[in-house]
mmCIF file with all atom_site columns, all heavy atoms in Angstrom:
data_model
loop_
_atom_site.group_PDB
_atom_site.id
_atom_site.type_symbol
_atom_site.label_atom_id
_atom_site.label_alt_id
_atom_site.label_comp_id
_atom_site.label_asym_id
_atom_site.label_entity_id
_atom_site.label_seq_id
_atom_site.pdbx_PDB_ins_code
_atom_site.Cartn_x
_atom_site.Cartn_y
_atom_site.Cartn_z
_atom_site.occupancy
_atom_site.B_iso_or_equiv
_atom_site.pdbx_formal_charge
_atom_site.auth_seq_id
_atom_site.auth_comp_id
_atom_site.auth_asym_id
_atom_site.auth_atom_id
_atom_site.pdbx_PDB_model_num
ATOM 1   N N   . VAL A 1 1  ? 9.725   1.365   5.345   1.00 97.00 ? 1  VAL A N   1
ATOM 2   C CA  . VAL A 1 1  ? 8.413   2.057   5.319   1.00 97.00 ? 1  VAL A CA  1
ATOM 3   C C   . VAL A 1 1  ? 7.288   1.107   4.985   1.00 97.00 ? 1  VAL A C   1
ATOM 4   O O   . VAL A 1 1  ? 6.239   1.267   5.516   1.00 97.00 ? 1  VAL A O   1
ATOM 5   C CB  . VAL A 1 1  ? 8.412   3.294   4.347   1.00 97.00 ? 1  VAL A CB  1
ATOM 6   C CG1 . VAL A 1 1  ? 9.424   4.335   4.700   1.00 97.00 ? 1  VAL A CG1 1
ATOM 7   C CG2 . VAL A 1 1  ? 8.578   2.888   2.916   1.00 97.00 ? 1  VAL A CG2 1
ATOM 8   N N   . GLY A 1 2  ? 7.605   0.087   4.239   1.00 96.00 ? 2  GLY A N   1
ATOM 9   C CA  . GLY A 1 2  ? 6.611   -0.915  3.939   1.00 96.00 ? 2  GLY A CA  1
ATOM 10  C C   . GLY A 1 2  ? 6.123   -1.671  5.209   1.00 96.00 ? 2  GLY A C   1
ATOM 11  O O   . GLY A 1 2  ? 4.916   -1.920  5.345   1.00 96.00 ? 2  GLY A O   1
ATOM 12  N N   . GLU A 1 3  ? 7.121   -1.940  6.100   1.00 96.00 ? 3  GLU A N   1
ATOM 13  C CA  . GLU A 1 3  ? 6.761   -2.593  7.350   1.00 96.00 ? 3  GLU A CA  1
ATOM 14  C C   . GLU A 1 3  ? 5.813   -1.710  8.196   1.00 96.00 ? 3  GLU A C   1
ATOM 15  O O   . GLU A 1 3  ? 4.842   -2.152  8.737   1.00 96.00 ? 3  GLU A O   1
ATOM 16  C CB  . GLU A 1 3  ? 8.000   -2.934  8.120   1.00 96.00 ? 3  GLU A CB  1
ATOM 17  C CG  . GLU A 1 3  ? 8.832   -4.065  7.534   1.00 96.00 ? 3  GLU A CG  1
ATOM 18  C CD  . GLU A 1 3  ? 10.216  -4.234  8.171   1.00 96.00 ? 3  GLU A CD  1
ATOM 19  O OE1 . GLU A 1 3  ? 10.438  -3.659  9.252   1.00 96.00 ? 3  GLU A OE1 1
ATOM 20  O OE2 . GLU A 1 3  ? 11.042  -4.926  7.565   1.00 96.00 ? 3  GLU A OE2 1
ATOM 21  N N   . LYS A 1 4  ? 6.112   -0.397  8.286   1.00 95.00 ? 4  LYS A N   1
ATOM 22  C CA  . LYS A 1 4  ? 5.286   0.550   8.998   1.00 95.00 ? 4  LYS A CA  1
ATOM 23  C C   . LYS A 1 4  ? 3.914   0.676   8.342   1.00 95.00 ? 4  LYS A C   1
ATOM 24  O O   . LYS A 1 4  ? 2.890   0.714   9.054   1.00 95.00 ? 4  LYS A O   1
ATOM 25  C CB  . LYS A 1 4  ? 5.961   1.900   9.190   1.00 95.00 ? 4  LYS A CB  1
ATOM 26  C CG  . LYS A 1 4  ? 6.954   1.980   10.259  1.00 95.00 ? 4  LYS A CG  1
ATOM 27  C CD  . LYS A 1 4  ? 6.271   1.830   11.604  1.00 95.00 ? 4  LYS A CD  1
ATOM 28  C CE  . LYS A 1 4  ? 7.313   2.105   12.691  1.00 95.00 ? 4  LYS A CE  1
ATOM 29  N NZ  . LYS A 1 4  ? 7.101   1.404   13.922  1.00 95.00 ? 4  LYS A NZ  1
ATOM 30  N N   . LEU A 1 5  ? 3.906   0.804   7.038   1.00 94.00 ? 5  LEU A N   1
ATOM 31  C CA  . LEU A 1 5  ? 2.602   0.916   6.355   1.00 94.00 ? 5  LEU A CA  1
ATOM 32  C C   . LEU A 1 5  ? 1.766   -0.323  6.595   1.00 94.00 ? 5  LEU A C   1
ATOM 33  O O   . LEU A 1 5  ? 0.543   -0.156  6.800   1.00 94.00 ? 5  LEU A O   1
ATOM 34  C CB  . LEU A 1 5  ? 2.885   1.084   4.837   1.00 94.00 ? 5  LEU A CB  1
ATOM 35  C CG  . LEU A 1 5  ? 3.289   2.488   4.376   1.00 94.00 ? 5  LEU A CG  1
ATOM 36  C CD1 . LEU A 1 5  ? 3.764   2.408   2.897   1.00 94.00 ? 5  LEU A CD1 1
ATOM 37  C CD2 . LEU A 1 5  ? 2.137   3.470   4.523   1.00 94.00 ? 5  LEU A CD2 1
ATOM 38  N N   . ALA A 1 6  ? 2.386   -1.521  6.616   1.00 94.00 ? 6  ALA A N   1
ATOM 39  C CA  . ALA A 1 6  ? 1.619   -2.727  6.858   1.00 94.00 ? 6  ALA A CA  1
ATOM 40  C C   . ALA A 1 6  ? 0.946   -2.757  8.243   1.00 94.00 ? 6  ALA A C   1
ATOM 41  O O   . ALA A 1 6  ? -0.125  -3.264  8.426   1.00 94.00 ? 6  ALA A O   1
ATOM 42  C CB  . ALA A 1 6  ? 2.457   -3.928  6.652   1.00 94.00 ? 6  ALA A CB  1
ATOM 43  N N   . VAL A 1 7  ? 1.617   -2.102  9.204   1.00 95.00 ? 7  VAL A N   1
ATOM 44  C CA  . VAL A 1 7  ? 1.135   -2.049  10.576  1.00 95.00 ? 7  VAL A CA  1
ATOM 45  C C   . VAL A 1 7  ? -0.016  -1.113  10.694  1.00 95.00 ? 7  VAL A C   1
ATOM 46  O O   . VAL A 1 7  ? -1.099  -1.456  11.220  1.00 95.00 ? 7  VAL A O   1
ATOM 47  C CB  . VAL A 1 7  ? 2.243   -1.667  11.572  1.00 95.00 ? 7  VAL A CB  1
ATOM 48  C CG1 . VAL A 1 7  ? 1.660   -1.355  12.965  1.00 95.00 ? 7  VAL A CG1 1
ATOM 49  C CG2 . VAL A 1 7  ? 3.325   -2.721  11.702  1.00 95.00 ? 7  VAL A CG2 1
ATOM 50  N N   . PHE A 1 8  ? 0.133   0.085   10.174  1.00 95.00 ? 8  PHE A N   1
ATOM 51  C CA  . PHE A 1 8  ? -0.877  1.113   10.301  1.00 95.00 ? 8  PHE A CA  1
ATOM 52  C C   . PHE A 1 8  ? -1.959  1.111   9.192   1.00 95.00 ? 8  PHE A C   1
ATOM 53  O O   . PHE A 1 8  ? -3.065  1.590   9.414   1.00 95.00 ? 8  PHE A O   1
ATOM 54  C CB  . PHE A 1 8  ? -0.246  2.497   10.359  1.00 95.00 ? 8  PHE A CB  1
ATOM 55  C CG  . PHE A 1 8  ? 0.622   2.678   11.600  1.00 95.00 ? 8  PHE A CG  1
ATOM 56  C CD1 . PHE A 1 8  ? 2.010   2.786   11.558  1.00 95.00 ? 8  PHE A CD1 1
ATOM 57  C CD2 . PHE A 1 8  ? 0.001   2.743   12.860  1.00 95.00 ? 8  PHE A CD2 1
ATOM 58  C CE1 . PHE A 1 8  ? 2.791   2.910   12.687  1.00 95.00 ? 8  PHE A CE1 1
ATOM 59  C CE2 . PHE A 1 8  ? 0.749   2.907   14.041  1.00 95.00 ? 8  PHE A CE2 1
ATOM 60  C CZ  . PHE A 1 8  ? 2.149   3.013   13.896  1.00 95.00 ? 8  PHE A CZ  1
ATOM 61  N N   . PHE A 1 9  ? -1.583  0.637   8.024   1.00 93.00 ? 9  PHE A N   1
ATOM 62  C CA  . PHE A 1 9  ? -2.495  0.612   6.907   1.00 93.00 ? 9  PHE A CA  1
ATOM 63  C C   . PHE A 1 9  ? -2.452  -0.797  6.221   1.00 93.00 ? 9  PHE A C   1
ATOM 64  O O   . PHE A 1 9  ? -1.981  -0.891  5.081   1.00 93.00 ? 9  PHE A O   1
ATOM 65  C CB  . PHE A 1 9  ? -2.100  1.675   5.885   1.00 93.00 ? 9  PHE A CB  1
ATOM 66  C CG  . PHE A 1 9  ? -2.194  3.087   6.423   1.00 93.00 ? 9  PHE A CG  1
ATOM 67  C CD1 . PHE A 1 9  ? -1.032  3.678   6.925   1.00 93.00 ? 9  PHE A CD1 1
ATOM 68  C CD2 . PHE A 1 9  ? -3.340  3.772   6.502   1.00 93.00 ? 9  PHE A CD2 1
ATOM 69  C CE1 . PHE A 1 9  ? -1.061  4.932   7.453   1.00 93.00 ? 9  PHE A CE1 1
ATOM 70  C CE2 . PHE A 1 9  ? -3.389  5.067   7.034   1.00 93.00 ? 9  PHE A CE2 1
ATOM 71  C CZ  . PHE A 1 9  ? -2.275  5.639   7.519   1.00 93.00 ? 9  PHE A CZ  1
ATOM 72  N N   . PRO A 1 10 ? -2.883  -1.787  6.925   1.00 91.00 ? 10 PRO A N   1
ATOM 73  C CA  . PRO A 1 10 ? -2.788  -3.142  6.348   1.00 91.00 ? 10 PRO A CA  1
ATOM 74  C C   . PRO A 1 10 ? -3.557  -3.312  5.064   1.00 91.00 ? 10 PRO A C   1
ATOM 75  O O   . PRO A 1 10 ? -4.588  -2.578  4.877   1.00 91.00 ? 10 PRO A O   1
ATOM 76  C CB  . PRO A 1 10 ? -3.342  -4.056  7.441   1.00 91.00 ? 10 PRO A CB  1
ATOM 77  C CG  . PRO A 1 10 ? -4.152  -3.156  8.337   1.00 91.00 ? 10 PRO A CG  1
ATOM 78  C CD  . PRO A 1 10 ? -3.574  -1.793  8.181   1.00 91.00 ? 10 PRO A CD  1
ATOM 79  N N   . TRP A 1 11 ? -3.150  -4.210  4.251   1.00 85.00 ? 11 TRP A N   1
ATOM 80  C CA  . TRP A 1 11 ? -3.777  -4.461  2.930   1.00 85.00 ? 11 TRP A CA  1
ATOM 81  C C   . TRP A 1 11 ? -5.198  -4.991  3.242   1.00 85.00 ? 11 TRP A C   1
ATOM 82  O O   . TRP A 1 11 ? -5.447  -5.719  4.159   1.00 85.00 ? 11 TRP A O   1
ATOM 83  C CB  . TRP A 1 11 ? -2.998  -5.521  2.158   1.00 85.00 ? 11 TRP A CB  1
ATOM 84  C CG  . TRP A 1 11 ? -3.577  -5.800  0.800   1.00 85.00 ? 11 TRP A CG  1
ATOM 85  C CD1 . TRP A 1 11 ? -3.401  -5.054  -0.309  1.00 85.00 ? 11 TRP A CD1 1
ATOM 86  C CD2 . TRP A 1 11 ? -4.555  -6.831  0.494   1.00 85.00 ? 11 TRP A CD2 1
ATOM 87  N NE1 . TRP A 1 11 ? -4.158  -5.585  -1.351  1.00 85.00 ? 11 TRP A NE1 1
ATOM 88  C CE2 . TRP A 1 11 ? -4.818  -6.657  -0.875  1.00 85.00 ? 11 TRP A CE2 1
ATOM 89  C CE3 . TRP A 1 11 ? -5.108  -7.857  1.218   1.00 85.00 ? 11 TRP A CE3 1
ATOM 90  C CZ2 . TRP A 1 11 ? -5.685  -7.547  -1.518  1.00 85.00 ? 11 TRP A CZ2 1
ATOM 91  C CZ3 . TRP A 1 11 ? -5.988  -8.688  0.550   1.00 85.00 ? 11 TRP A CZ3 1
ATOM 92  C CH2 . TRP A 1 11 ? -6.248  -8.563  -0.827  1.00 85.00 ? 11 TRP A CH2 1
ATOM 93  N N   . ASP A 1 12 ? -6.108  -4.620  2.434   1.00 79.00 ? 12 ASP A N   1
ATOM 94  C CA  . ASP A 1 12 ? -7.526  -5.046  2.503   1.00 79.00 ? 12 ASP A CA  1
ATOM 95  C C   . ASP A 1 12 ? -7.943  -5.546  1.168   1.00 79.00 ? 12 ASP A C   1
ATOM 96  O O   . ASP A 1 12 ? -7.438  -5.032  0.147   1.00 79.00 ? 12 ASP A O   1
ATOM 97  C CB  . ASP A 1 12 ? -8.346  -3.818  2.911   1.00 79.00 ? 12 ASP A CB  1
ATOM 98  C CG  . ASP A 1 12 ? -9.824  -4.169  3.173   1.00 79.00 ? 12 ASP A CG  1
ATOM 99  O OD1 . ASP A 1 12 ? -10.543 -4.311  2.177   1.00 79.00 ? 12 ASP A OD1 1
ATOM 100 O OD2 . ASP A 1 12 ? -10.232 -4.303  4.330   1.00 79.00 ? 12 ASP A OD2 1
ATOM 101 N N   . GLU A 1 13 ? -8.836  -6.470  1.102   1.00 70.00 ? 13 GLU A N   1
ATOM 102 C CA  . GLU A 1 13 ? -9.240  -7.052  -0.200  1.00 70.00 ? 13 GLU A CA  1
ATOM 103 C C   . GLU A 1 13 ? -9.832  -5.971  -1.122  1.00 70.00 ? 13 GLU A C   1
ATOM 104 O O   . GLU A 1 13 ? -9.921  -6.219  -2.321  1.00 70.00 ? 13 GLU A O   1
ATOM 105 C CB  . GLU A 1 13 ? -10.250 -8.154  0.030   1.00 70.00 ? 13 GLU A CB  1
ATOM 106 C CG  . GLU A 1 13 ? -11.490 -7.780  0.710   1.00 70.00 ? 13 GLU A CG  1
ATOM 107 C CD  . GLU A 1 13 ? -12.397 -9.010  1.056   1.00 70.00 ? 13 GLU A CD  1
ATOM 108 O OE1 . GLU A 1 13 ? -11.813 -10.043 1.383   1.00 70.00 ? 13 GLU A OE1 1
ATOM 109 O OE2 . GLU A 1 13 ? -13.607 -8.868  0.979   1.00 70.00 ? 13 GLU A OE2 1
ATOM 110 N N   . ASP A 1 14 ? -10.315 -4.851  -0.629  1.00 70.00 ? 14 ASP A N   1
ATOM 111 C CA  . ASP A 1 14 ? -10.837 -3.806  -1.500  1.00 70.00 ? 14 ASP A CA  1
ATOM 112 C C   . ASP A 1 14 ? -9.752  -2.820  -2.000  1.00 70.00 ? 14 ASP A C   1
ATOM 113 O O   . ASP A 1 14 ? -10.048 -1.951  -2.794  1.00 70.00 ? 14 ASP A O   1
ATOM 114 C CB  . ASP A 1 14 ? -11.870 -2.937  -0.698  1.00 70.00 ? 14 ASP A CB  1
ATOM 115 C CG  . ASP A 1 14 ? -13.075 -3.722  -0.285  1.00 70.00 ? 14 ASP A CG  1
ATOM 116 O OD1 . ASP A 1 14 ? -13.407 -4.708  -0.991  1.00 70.00 ? 14 ASP A OD1 1
ATOM 117 O OD2 . ASP A 1 14 ? -13.718 -3.409  0.718   1.00 70.00 ? 14 ASP A OD2 1
ATOM 118 N N   . ASP A 1 15 ? -8.500  -3.012  -1.520  1.00 65.00 ? 15 ASP A N   1
ATOM 119 C CA  . ASP A 1 15 ? -7.402  -2.135  -1.942  1.00 65.00 ? 15 ASP A CA  1
ATOM 120 C C   . ASP A 1 15 ? -7.071  -2.285  -3.439  1.00 65.00 ? 15 ASP A C   1
ATOM 121 O O   . ASP A 1 15 ? -7.153  -3.398  -4.026  1.00 65.00 ? 15 ASP A O   1
ATOM 122 C CB  . ASP A 1 15 ? -6.163  -2.403  -1.153  1.00 65.00 ? 15 ASP A CB  1
ATOM 123 C CG  . ASP A 1 15 ? -6.271  -1.906  0.247   1.00 65.00 ? 15 ASP A CG  1
ATOM 124 O OD1 . ASP A 1 15 ? -7.068  -0.969  0.535   1.00 65.00 ? 15 ASP A OD1 1
ATOM 125 O OD2 . ASP A 1 15 ? -5.507  -2.443  1.126   1.00 65.00 ? 15 ASP A OD2 1
ATOM 126 N N   . THR A 1 16 ? -6.756  -1.118  -4.044  1.00 68.00 ? 16 THR A N   1
ATOM 127 C CA  . THR A 1 16 ? -6.273  -1.129  -5.401  1.00 68.00 ? 16 THR A CA  1
ATOM 128 C C   . THR A 1 16 ? -4.977  -0.395  -5.446  1.00 68.00 ? 16 THR A C   1
ATOM 129 O O   . THR A 1 16 ? -4.714  0.443   -4.609  1.00 68.00 ? 16 THR A O   1
ATOM 130 C CB  . THR A 1 16 ? -7.268  -0.434  -6.372  1.00 68.00 ? 16 THR A CB  1
ATOM 131 O OG1 . THR A 1 16 ? -7.516  0.855   -5.925  1.00 68.00 ? 16 THR A OG1 1
ATOM 132 C CG2 . THR A 1 16 ? -8.622  -1.191  -6.482  1.00 68.00 ? 16 THR A CG2 1
ATOM 133 N N   . ASN A 1 17 ? -4.150  -0.708  -6.424  1.00 64.00 ? 17 ASN A N   1
ATOM 134 C CA  . ASN A 1 17 ? -2.856  0.005   -6.554  1.00 64.00 ? 17 ASN A CA  1
ATOM 135 C C   . ASN A 1 17 ? -3.231  1.377   -7.206  1.00 64.00 ? 17 ASN A C   1
ATOM 136 O O   . ASN A 1 17 ? -3.522  1.454   -8.399  1.00 64.00 ? 17 ASN A O   1
ATOM 137 C CB  . ASN A 1 17 ? -1.921  -0.773  -7.417  1.00 64.00 ? 17 ASN A CB  1
ATOM 138 C CG  . ASN A 1 17 ? -0.509  -0.217  -7.406  1.00 64.00 ? 17 ASN A CG  1
ATOM 139 O OD1 . ASN A 1 17 ? -0.233  0.691   -6.644  1.00 64.00 ? 17 ASN A OD1 1
ATOM 140 N ND2 . ASN A 1 17 ? 0.345   -0.781  -8.249  1.00 64.00 ? 17 ASN A ND2 1
ATOM 141 N N   . GLU A 1 18 ? -3.140  2.399   -6.426  1.00 66.00 ? 18 GLU A N   1
ATOM 142 C CA  . GLU A 1 18 ? -3.649  3.734   -6.840  1.00 66.00 ? 18 GLU A CA  1
ATOM 143 C C   . GLU A 1 18 ? -2.652  4.468   -7.743  1.00 66.00 ? 18 GLU A C   1
ATOM 144 O O   . GLU A 1 18 ? -3.016  5.354   -8.519  1.00 66.00 ? 18 GLU A O   1
ATOM 145 C CB  . GLU A 1 18 ? -3.978  4.631   -5.624  1.00 66.00 ? 18 GLU A CB  1
ATOM 146 C CG  . GLU A 1 18 ? -5.118  4.043   -4.779  1.00 66.00 ? 18 GLU A CG  1
ATOM 147 C CD  . GLU A 1 18 ? -5.370  4.933   -3.521  1.00 66.00 ? 18 GLU A CD  1
ATOM 148 O OE1 . GLU A 1 18 ? -5.951  5.983   -3.700  1.00 66.00 ? 18 GLU A OE1 1
ATOM 149 O OE2 . GLU A 1 18 ? -4.961  4.507   -2.455  1.00 66.00 ? 18 GLU A OE2 1
ATOM 150 N N   . LEU A 1 19 ? -1.389  4.142   -7.612  1.00 72.00 ? 19 LEU A N   1
ATOM 151 C CA  . LEU A 1 19 ? -0.344  4.855   -8.369  1.00 72.00 ? 19 LEU A CA  1
ATOM 152 C C   . LEU A 1 19 ? 0.642   3.821   -8.959  1.00 72.00 ? 19 LEU A C   1
ATOM 153 O O   . LEU A 1 19 ? 0.858   2.764   -8.424  1.00 72.00 ? 19 LEU A O   1
ATOM 154 C CB  . LEU A 1 19 ? 0.424   5.769   -7.388  1.00 72.00 ? 19 LEU A CB  1
ATOM 155 C CG  . LEU A 1 19 ? -0.403  6.908   -6.727  1.00 72.00 ? 19 LEU A CG  1
ATOM 156 C CD1 . LEU A 1 19 ? 0.403   7.562   -5.642  1.00 72.00 ? 19 LEU A CD1 1
ATOM 157 C CD2 . LEU A 1 19 ? -0.894  7.863   -7.741  1.00 72.00 ? 19 LEU A CD2 1
ATOM 158 N N   . PRO A 1 20 ? 1.295   4.213   -10.085 1.00 69.00 ? 20 PRO A N   1
ATOM 159 C CA  . PRO A 1 20 ? 2.263   3.319   -10.720 1.00 69.00 ? 20 PRO A CA  1
ATOM 160 C C   . PRO A 1 20 ? 3.450   3.051   -9.803  1.00 69.00 ? 20 PRO A C   1
ATOM 161 O O   . PRO A 1 20 ? 3.791   3.842   -8.959  1.00 69.00 ? 20 PRO A O   1
ATOM 162 C CB  . PRO A 1 20 ? 2.736   4.130   -11.951 1.00 69.00 ? 20 PRO A CB  1
ATOM 163 C CG  . PRO A 1 20 ? 1.812   5.261   -12.054 1.00 69.00 ? 20 PRO A CG  1
ATOM 164 C CD  . PRO A 1 20 ? 1.185   5.483   -10.785 1.00 69.00 ? 20 PRO A CD  1
ATOM 165 N N   . ASP A 1 21 ? 4.063   1.858   -9.999  1.00 78.00 ? 21 ASP A N   1
ATOM 166 C CA  . ASP A 1 21 ? 5.215   1.472   -9.208  1.00 78.00 ? 21 ASP A CA  1
ATOM 167 C C   . ASP A 1 21 ? 6.529   1.787   -9.812  1.00 78.00 ? 21 ASP A C   1
ATOM 168 O O   . ASP A 1 21 ? 7.596   1.684   -9.227  1.00 78.00 ? 21 ASP A O   1
ATOM 169 C CB  . ASP A 1 21 ? 5.163   -0.042  -8.961  1.00 78.00 ? 21 ASP A CB  1
ATOM 170 C CG  . ASP A 1 21 ? 3.895   -0.434  -8.163  1.00 78.00 ? 21 ASP A CG  1
ATOM 171 O OD1 . ASP A 1 21 ? 3.423   0.347   -7.318  1.00 78.00 ? 21 ASP A OD1 1
ATOM 172 O OD2 . ASP A 1 21 ? 3.423   -1.565  -8.406  1.00 78.00 ? 21 ASP A OD2 1
ATOM 173 N N   . GLN A 1 22 ? 6.565   2.175   -11.136 1.00 87.00 ? 22 GLN A N   1
ATOM 174 C CA  . GLN A 1 22 ? 7.769   2.507   -11.862 1.00 87.00 ? 22 GLN A CA  1
ATOM 175 C C   . GLN A 1 22 ? 8.542   3.724   -11.245 1.00 87.00 ? 22 GLN A C   1
ATOM 176 O O   . GLN A 1 22 ? 7.894   4.560   -10.686 1.00 87.00 ? 22 GLN A O   1
ATOM 177 C CB  . GLN A 1 22 ? 7.475   2.806   -13.307 1.00 87.00 ? 22 GLN A CB  1
ATOM 178 C CG  . GLN A 1 22 ? 7.202   1.576   -14.166 1.00 87.00 ? 22 GLN A CG  1
ATOM 179 C CD  . GLN A 1 22 ? 5.926   0.815   -13.817 1.00 87.00 ? 22 GLN A CD  1
ATOM 180 O OE1 . GLN A 1 22 ? 4.954   1.444   -13.386 1.00 87.00 ? 22 GLN A OE1 1
ATOM 181 N NE2 . GLN A 1 22 ? 5.978   -0.454  -13.925 1.00 87.00 ? 22 GLN A NE2 1
ATOM 182 N N   . ILE A 1 23 ? 9.821   3.651   -11.414 1.00 90.00 ? 23 ILE A N   1
ATOM 183 C CA  . ILE A 1 23 ? 10.657  4.742   -10.977 1.00 90.00 ? 23 ILE A CA  1
ATOM 184 C C   . ILE A 1 23 ? 10.443  5.893   -11.969 1.00 90.00 ? 23 ILE A C   1
ATOM 185 O O   . ILE A 1 23 ? 10.506  5.678   -13.205 1.00 90.00 ? 23 ILE A O   1
ATOM 186 C CB  . ILE A 1 23 ? 12.141  4.365   -10.940 1.00 90.00 ? 23 ILE A CB  1
ATOM 187 C CG1 . ILE A 1 23 ? 12.353  3.308   -9.823  1.00 90.00 ? 23 ILE A CG1 1
ATOM 188 C CG2 . ILE A 1 23 ? 13.039  5.612   -10.700 1.00 90.00 ? 23 ILE A CG2 1
ATOM 189 C CD1 . ILE A 1 23 ? 13.721  2.711   -9.807  1.00 90.00 ? 23 ILE A CD1 1
ATOM 190 N N   . THR A 1 24 ? 10.204  7.058   -11.505 1.00 91.00 ? 24 THR A N   1
ATOM 191 C CA  . THR A 1 24 ? 9.984   8.249   -12.405 1.00 91.00 ? 24 THR A CA  1
ATOM 192 C C   . THR A 1 24 ? 11.185  9.078   -12.389 1.00 91.00 ? 24 THR A C   1
ATOM 193 O O   . THR A 1 24 ? 11.997  9.095   -11.486 1.00 91.00 ? 24 THR A O   1
ATOM 194 C CB  . THR A 1 24 ? 8.699   9.031   -12.017 1.00 91.00 ? 24 THR A CB  1
ATOM 195 O OG1 . THR A 1 24 ? 8.809   9.375   -10.616 1.00 91.00 ? 24 THR A OG1 1
ATOM 196 C CG2 . THR A 1 24 ? 7.421   8.227   -12.236 1.00 91.00 ? 24 THR A CG2 1
#
């Protein structure tokens, strides 16, 4: 899914990590 996200929603310098990465 990361590969697909990178294609359709590439990282931009304005991007912020909107949600925690921890397993809930």
Side-chain angles (χ1 to χ4, degrees):
V1 299
E3 289 170 15
K4 278 293 187 210
L5 282 168
V7 169
F8 293 111
F9 300 95
W11 183 85
D12 183 283
E13 63 188 34
D14 295 332
D15 287 337
T16 58
N17 192 6
E18 298 177 74
L19 299 170
D21 299 328
Q22 281 67 31
I23 296 171
T24 54

